Amino acid sequence: MPSFLMSLFCCLFMALTFSRIDVAAYPTGAPTAACESMTPEHYGTLPSNNPCPFEVILNQNQTFSNGSVKVTLQPSLPSVSFKGFLVMGFDKVTDRVIGTFQIPPSYNLSKTIDCNNEYENAATHKSKDPKQSVTLDWIPPEGYDGEVIFKTTFVEEFINYWVKQPSGIVKVVASESATPESTTTDVTPTQLPLPDVYEGCGVSKGCIATPDDCVDSKTCSMMATYKKLDNDHLQLEIYGEIKGDEYVAVGFSTDSEMGSDSVVECVQYRDTLKAYQSYNTPQRNNQRLPSNLQGFVELSFPTYVDGYIYCSVKHPIVFDNNVGFDLNKPYYLLMATGSTGKDNIQEHSEEEKSGMSIDLTKDYGVSYFKESSN
């Protein structure tokens, strides 16, 4: 092959390779593995030595610890844009990552991630679409007093990126408590009691639980209850033992195996308790619904007491959750518990499944999960 053809072939191969990698290189945001170095994992590349054509603009250079700072990422040169970014706030003295970003879920340019096991202390892109400007709200730690600098990694293309580009300095002044101590009274916050989820099992509602024989002794680690409220709705109760930011979930399955299942989640995340609906894809990935289905209603406030979480919901009997479900027909029940993130539950640490399908509208017995895997 002539040398010029060989050179042309090599150039085309490299161009196609980098084009393909660019699409695959975290188009929906930086992974938490990048938190420490803030360097993209772009194989065979190094950060650019050219001047960075992007900058970080702050709306103020001083704020109180109960205030906020608007952080804007934008080009410093005309006719350029960035596809990806990762930004964090650092204490100027200790170089420790501090503060949190607040980004509405509907904002389609960026999202928060949790670096170093701290909540929402970094922000990254949501897509690889070209961006001219991204503005974020950063909140200082409560009572913090010191100087903060923001460091941002900008990605223009797969082989063009700049790491830890610094902003100007923001002085944060510790603010006094909004409520003076002299006006407070010694009042202990009320905590809703945990309902007796065992009451009515086998009589007025069906119950399925683990471990075996735990209902009579009221020692179940996970349990779901069900009963028909009317022709269109069931009442479901979800109960289980958790620690911290975790969930207990129940799924409806046609075959007792995870995949293509409708799921109800009972979740605690950052001291917020809530029931959600989600879907297990055929590939066994869980996807939380953007909004709960019509007819899905929390019947009481979710409760967390002494390590146990409880949710009670009204649930439609016939509904569409990616595929059609008709709970007038028998379904296998799946239960799981594990860690949760902000927008979806994580892979389960414990999974249970019923030994047979159950008619949730009239099988009001007490049963136990016959198969389990940890």
Side-chain angles (χ1 to χ4, degrees), residues 81-108:
S81 59
F82 56 96
K83 292 183 176 179
F85 67 90
L86 177 62
V87 58
M88 290 182 271
F90 293 81
D91 181 282
K92 185 175 180 293
V93 174
T94 66
D95 204 38
R96 183 172 61 89
V97 180
I98 60 172
T100 58
F101 289 92
Q102 286 189 349
I103 301 174
S106 59
Y107 191 51
N108 60 6

mmCIF file of all heavy atoms in Angstrom, residues 81-108:
data_model
loop_
_atom_site.group_PDB
_atom_site.id
_atom_site.type_symbol
_atom_site.label_atom_id
_atom_site.label_comp_id
_atom_site.label_asym_id
_atom_site.label_seq_id
_atom_site.Cartn_x
_atom_site.Cartn_y
_atom_site.Cartn_z
ATOM 1 N N SER A 81 -17.763 26.427 22.741
ATOM 2 C CA SER A 81 -18.707 25.872 23.708
ATOM 3 C C SER A 81 -18.077 24.657 24.351
ATOM 4 O O SER A 81 -17.100 24.094 23.845
ATOM 5 C CB SER A 81 -20.025 25.494 23.025
ATOM 6 O OG SER A 81 -19.802 24.536 21.999
ATOM 7 N N PHE A 82 -18.607 24.253 25.497
ATOM 8 C CA PHE A 82 -18.108 23.057 26.178
ATOM 9 C C PHE A 82 -19.220 22.023 26.241
ATOM 10 O O PHE A 82 -20.404 22.347 26.319
ATOM 11 C CB PHE A 82 -17.575 23.388 27.572
ATOM 12 C CG PHE A 82 -18.555 24.085 28.480
ATOM 13 C CD1 PHE A 82 -19.320 23.376 29.403
ATOM 14 C CD2 PHE A 82 -18.702 25.469 28.429
ATOM 15 C CE1 PHE A 82 -20.210 24.016 30.241
ATOM 16 C CE2 PHE A 82 -19.604 26.126 29.268
ATOM 17 C CZ PHE A 82 -20.350 25.400 30.174
ATOM 18 N N LYS A 83 -18.816 20.746 26.223
ATOM 19 C CA LYS A 83 -19.778 19.648 26.258
ATOM 20 C C LYS A 83 -19.934 19.077 27.666
ATOM 21 O O LYS A 83 -21.019 18.667 28.069
ATOM 22 C CB LYS A 83 -19.352 18.535 25.300
ATOM 23 C CG LYS A 83 -19.433 18.919 23.842
ATOM 24 C CD LYS A 83 -19.066 17.738 22.941
ATOM 25 C CE LYS A 83 -19.235 18.099 21.472
ATOM 26 N NZ LYS A 83 -18.870 16.965 20.583
ATOM 27 N N GLY A 84 -18.834 19.014 28.396
ATOM 28 C CA GLY A 84 -18.872 18.418 29.726
ATOM 29 C C GLY A 84 -18.172 19.285 30.746
ATOM 30 O O GLY A 84 -17.352 20.144 30.399
ATOM 31 N N PHE A 85 -18.506 19.048 32.027
ATOM 32 C CA PHE A 85 -17.830 19.790 33.088
ATOM 33 C C PHE A 85 -17.995 19.054 34.413
ATOM 34 O O PHE A 85 -18.886 18.226 34.588
ATOM 35 C CB PHE A 85 -18.376 21.213 33.218
ATOM 36 C CG PHE A 85 -19.801 21.288 33.696
ATOM 37 C CD1 PHE A 85 -20.110 21.361 35.051
ATOM 38 C CD2 PHE A 85 -20.845 21.279 32.793
ATOM 39 C CE1 PHE A 85 -21.419 21.416 35.496
ATOM 40 C CE2 PHE A 85 -22.164 21.344 33.220
ATOM 41 C CZ PHE A 85 -22.451 21.407 34.569
ATOM 42 N N LEU A 86 -17.129 19.390 35.342
ATOM 43 C CA LEU A 86 -17.214 18.936 36.737
ATOM 44 C C LEU A 86 -16.714 20.081 37.598
ATOM 45 O O LEU A 86 -15.603 20.580 37.389
ATOM 46 C CB LEU A 86 -16.366 17.684 36.967
ATOM 47 C CG LEU A 86 -16.305 17.153 38.407
ATOM 48 C CD1 LEU A 86 -17.687 16.728 38.892
ATOM 49 C CD2 LEU A 86 -15.317 15.991 38.519
ATOM 50 N N VAL A 87 -17.537 20.537 38.558
ATOM 51 C CA VAL A 87 -17.177 21.688 39.376
ATOM 52 C C VAL A 87 -17.428 21.379 40.842
ATOM 53 O O VAL A 87 -18.405 20.717 41.192
ATOM 54 C CB VAL A 87 -17.962 22.957 38.933
ATOM 55 C CG1 VAL A 87 -19.465 22.734 39.000
ATOM 56 C CG2 VAL A 87 -17.563 24.161 39.759
ATOM 57 N N MET A 88 -16.519 21.864 41.704
ATOM 58 C CA MET A 88 -16.648 21.706 43.148
ATOM 59 C C MET A 88 -16.124 22.961 43.831
ATOM 60 O O MET A 88 -15.263 23.668 43.288
ATOM 61 C CB MET A 88 -15.880 20.481 43.649
ATOM 62 C CG MET A 88 -16.473 19.149 43.240
ATOM 63 S SD MET A 88 -15.560 17.734 43.916
ATOM 64 C CE MET A 88 -14.364 17.481 42.619
ATOM 65 N N GLY A 89 -16.605 23.228 45.049
ATOM 66 C CA GLY A 89 -16.086 24.304 45.876
ATOM 67 C C GLY A 89 -15.078 23.762 46.877
ATOM 68 O O GLY A 89 -15.316 22.712 47.489
ATOM 69 N N PHE A 90 -13.950 24.472 47.051
ATOM 70 C CA PHE A 90 -12.876 24.009 47.937
ATOM 71 C C PHE A 90 -12.552 25.079 48.983
ATOM 72 O O PHE A 90 -12.497 26.267 48.655
ATOM 73 C CB PHE A 90 -11.600 23.716 47.137
ATOM 74 C CG PHE A 90 -11.702 22.556 46.208
ATOM 75 C CD1 PHE A 90 -12.306 22.686 44.961
ATOM 76 C CD2 PHE A 90 -11.190 21.313 46.559
ATOM 77 C CE1 PHE A 90 -12.392 21.618 44.092
ATOM 78 C CE2 PHE A 90 -11.266 20.224 45.691
ATOM 79 C CZ PHE A 90 -11.871 20.385 44.454
ATOM 80 N N ASP A 91 -12.331 24.624 50.211
ATOM 81 C CA ASP A 91 -11.778 25.511 51.228
ATOM 82 C C ASP A 91 -10.366 25.918 50.773
ATOM 83 O O ASP A 91 -9.532 25.057 50.464
ATOM 84 C CB ASP A 91 -11.717 24.803 52.575
ATOM 85 C CG ASP A 91 -11.163 25.693 53.668
ATOM 86 O OD1 ASP A 91 -9.928 25.864 53.724
ATOM 87 O OD2 ASP A 91 -11.947 26.207 54.474
ATOM 88 N N LYS A 92 -10.109 27.211 50.735
ATOM 89 C CA LYS A 92 -8.840 27.694 50.179
ATOM 90 C C LYS A 92 -7.638 27.237 51.011
ATOM 91 O O LYS A 92 -6.542 27.033 50.473
ATOM 92 C CB LYS A 92 -8.860 29.218 50.091
ATOM 93 C CG LYS A 92 -7.649 29.836 49.408
ATOM 94 C CD LYS A 92 -7.811 31.333 49.250
ATOM 95 C CE LYS A 92 -6.587 31.947 48.565
ATOM 96 N NZ LYS A 92 -5.392 31.862 49.407
ATOM 97 N N VAL A 93 -7.811 27.058 52.314
ATOM 98 C CA VAL A 93 -6.700 26.694 53.185
ATOM 99 C C VAL A 93 -6.465 25.186 53.190
ATOM 100 O O VAL A 93 -5.338 24.708 53.005
ATOM 101 C CB VAL A 93 -6.946 27.210 54.619
ATOM 102 C CG1 VAL A 93 -5.850 26.713 55.566
ATOM 103 C CG2 VAL A 93 -7.017 28.732 54.627
ATOM 104 N N THR A 94 -7.528 24.412 53.381
ATOM 105 C CA THR A 94 -7.378 22.959 53.542
ATOM 106 C C THR A 94 -7.512 22.199 52.230
ATOM 107 O O THR A 94 -7.169 21.023 52.155
ATOM 108 C CB THR A 94 -8.422 22.415 54.523
ATOM 109 O OG1 THR A 94 -9.735 22.581 53.952
ATOM 110 C CG2 THR A 94 -8.359 23.148 55.853
ATOM 111 N N ASP A 95 -8.025 22.849 51.189
ATOM 112 C CA ASP A 95 -8.303 22.222 49.894
ATOM 113 C C ASP A 95 -9.343 21.104 50.016
ATOM 114 O O ASP A 95 -9.394 20.205 49.183
ATOM 115 C CB ASP A 95 -7.017 21.677 49.255
ATOM 116 C CG ASP A 95 -7.141 21.576 47.732
ATOM 117 O OD1 ASP A 95 -7.765 22.466 47.132
ATOM 118 O OD2 ASP A 95 -6.638 20.589 47.162
ATOM 119 N N ARG A 96 -10.177 21.195 51.037
ATOM 120 C CA ARG A 96 -11.246 20.206 51.229
ATOM 121 C C ARG A 96 -12.488 20.642 50.467
ATOM 122 O O ARG A 96 -12.830 21.816 50.435
ATOM 123 C CB ARG A 96 -11.561 20.062 52.725
ATOM 124 C CG ARG A 96 -12.612 19.009 53.047
ATOM 125 C CD ARG A 96 -12.700 18.822 54.551
ATOM 126 N NE ARG A 96 -13.097 20.050 55.234
ATOM 127 C CZ ARG A 96 -14.365 20.393 55.472
ATOM 128 N NH1 ARG A 96 -15.347 19.607 55.088
ATOM 129 N NH2 ARG A 96 -14.641 21.515 56.114
ATOM 130 N N VAL A 97 -13.179 19.669 49.848
ATOM 131 C CA VAL A 97 -14.417 19.974 49.134
ATOM 132 C C VAL A 97 -15.502 20.308 50.149
ATOM 133 O O VAL A 97 -15.730 19.552 51.096
ATOM 134 C CB VAL A 97 -14.857 18.786 48.264
ATOM 135 C CG1 VAL A 97 -16.164 19.115 47.528
ATOM 136 C CG2 VAL A 97 -13.770 18.423 47.268
ATOM 137 N N ILE A 98 -16.178 21.442 49.966
ATOM 138 C CA ILE A 98 -17.187 21.871 50.928
ATOM 139 C C ILE A 98 -18.412 22.398 50.184
ATOM 140 O O ILE A 98 -18.364 22.719 48.995
ATOM 141 C CB ILE A 98 -16.660 22.970 51.881
ATOM 142 C CG1 ILE A 98 -16.224 24.209 51.082
ATOM 143 C CG2 ILE A 98 -15.518 22.451 52.747
ATOM 144 C CD1 ILE A 98 -15.887 25.401 51.961
ATOM 145 N N GLY A 99 -19.520 22.509 50.910
ATOM 146 C CA GLY A 99 -20.737 23.091 50.371
ATOM 147 C C GLY A 99 -21.516 22.123 49.508
ATOM 148 O O GLY A 99 -21.098 20.987 49.240
ATOM 149 N N THR A 100 -22.691 22.573 49.063
ATOM 150 C CA THR A 100 -23.554 21.755 48.212
ATOM 151 C C THR A 100 -24.094 22.613 47.069
ATOM 152 O O THR A 100 -24.200 23.834 47.181
ATOM 153 C CB THR A 100 -24.738 21.176 49.006
ATOM 154 O OG1 THR A 100 -25.483 22.253 49.595
ATOM 155 C CG2 THR A 100 -24.259 20.237 50.093
ATOM 156 N N PHE A 101 -24.439 21.942 45.985
ATOM 157 C CA PHE A 101 -25.092 22.595 44.856
ATOM 158 C C PHE A 101 -26.579 22.264 44.880
ATOM 159 O O PHE A 101 -26.968 21.133 45.202
ATOM 160 C CB PHE A 101 -24.487 22.133 43.532
ATOM 161 C CG PHE A 101 -23.099 22.661 43.284
ATOM 162 C CD1 PHE A 101 -21.977 21.932 43.679
ATOM 163 C CD2 PHE A 101 -22.915 23.888 42.670
ATOM 164 C CE1 PHE A 101 -20.701 22.415 43.458
ATOM 165 C CE2 PHE A 101 -21.636 24.384 42.443
ATOM 166 C CZ PHE A 101 -20.535 23.653 42.839
ATOM 167 N N GLN A 102 -27.395 23.239 44.557
ATOM 168 C CA GLN A 102 -28.830 23.032 44.449
ATOM 169 C C GLN A 102 -29.241 23.201 42.995
ATOM 170 O O GLN A 102 -29.090 24.282 42.419
ATOM 171 C CB GLN A 102 -29.599 24.018 45.332
ATOM 172 C CG GLN A 102 -29.520 23.694 46.816
ATOM 173 C CD GLN A 102 -30.465 24.541 47.643
ATOM 174 O OE1 GLN A 102 -31.047 25.505 47.165
ATOM 175 N NE2 GLN A 102 -30.619 24.177 48.904
ATOM 176 N N ILE A 103 -29.752 22.115 42.406
ATOM 177 C CA ILE A 103 -30.135 22.118 40.997
ATOM 178 C C ILE A 103 -31.526 21.515 40.885
ATOM 179 O O ILE A 103 -31.738 20.375 41.307
ATOM 180 C CB ILE A 103 -29.145 21.306 40.143
ATOM 181 C CG1 ILE A 103 -27.728 21.879 40.280
ATOM 182 C CG2 ILE A 103 -29.579 21.292 38.686
ATOM 183 C CD1 ILE A 103 -26.669 21.052 39.587
ATOM 184 N N PRO A 104 -32.497 22.222 40.346
ATOM 185 C CA PRO A 104 -33.842 21.650 40.182
ATOM 186 C C PRO A 104 -33.785 20.420 39.281
ATOM 187 O O PRO A 104 -33.038 20.398 38.292
ATOM 188 C CB PRO A 104 -34.642 22.777 39.519
ATOM 189 C CG PRO A 104 -33.866 24.023 39.787
ATOM 190 C CD PRO A 104 -32.427 23.612 39.866
ATOM 191 N N PRO A 105 -34.557 19.351 39.584
ATOM 192 C CA PRO A 105 -34.559 18.145 38.741
ATOM 193 C C PRO A 105 -34.924 18.441 37.288
ATOM 194 O O PRO A 105 -34.504 17.724 36.389
ATOM 195 C CB PRO A 105 -35.612 17.258 39.415
ATOM 196 C CG PRO A 105 -35.684 17.742 40.825
ATOM 197 C CD PRO A 105 -35.418 19.214 40.763
ATOM 198 N N SER A 106 -35.700 19.510 37.063
ATOM 199 C CA SER A 106 -36.141 19.836 35.706
ATOM 200 C C SER A 106 -35.047 20.518 34.881
ATOM 201 O O SER A 106 -35.177 20.648 33.668
ATOM 202 C CB SER A 106 -37.374 20.744 35.759
ATOM 203 O OG SER A 106 -37.079 21.943 36.465
ATOM 204 N N TYR A 107 -33.970 20.951 35.516
ATOM 205 C CA TYR A 107 -32.894 21.646 34.807
ATOM 206 C C TYR A 107 -32.138 20.643 33.952
ATOM 207 O O TYR A 107 -31.576 19.668 34.459
ATOM 208 C CB TYR A 107 -31.967 22.307 35.817
ATOM 209 C CG TYR A 107 -30.973 23.281 35.230
ATOM 210 C CD1 TYR A 107 -31.388 24.290 34.375
ATOM 211 C CD2 TYR A 107 -29.622 23.205 35.546
ATOM 212 C CE1 TYR A 107 -30.481 25.200 33.850
ATOM 213 C CE2 TYR A 107 -28.705 24.111 35.032
ATOM 214 C CZ TYR A 107 -29.146 25.107 34.176
ATOM 215 O OH TYR A 107 -28.240 26.003 33.656
ATOM 216 N N ASN A 108 -32.125 20.848 32.632
ATOM 217 C CA ASN A 108 -31.621 19.816 31.729
ATOM 218 C C ASN A 108 -30.152 19.955 31.365
ATOM 219 O O ASN A 108 -29.645 19.193 30.546
ATOM 220 C CB ASN A 108 -32.461 19.782 30.442
ATOM 221 C CG ASN A 108 -32.437 21.099 29.685
ATOM 222 O OD1 ASN A 108 -31.705 22.009 30.050
ATOM 223 N ND2 ASN A 108 -33.251 21.202 28.652
#
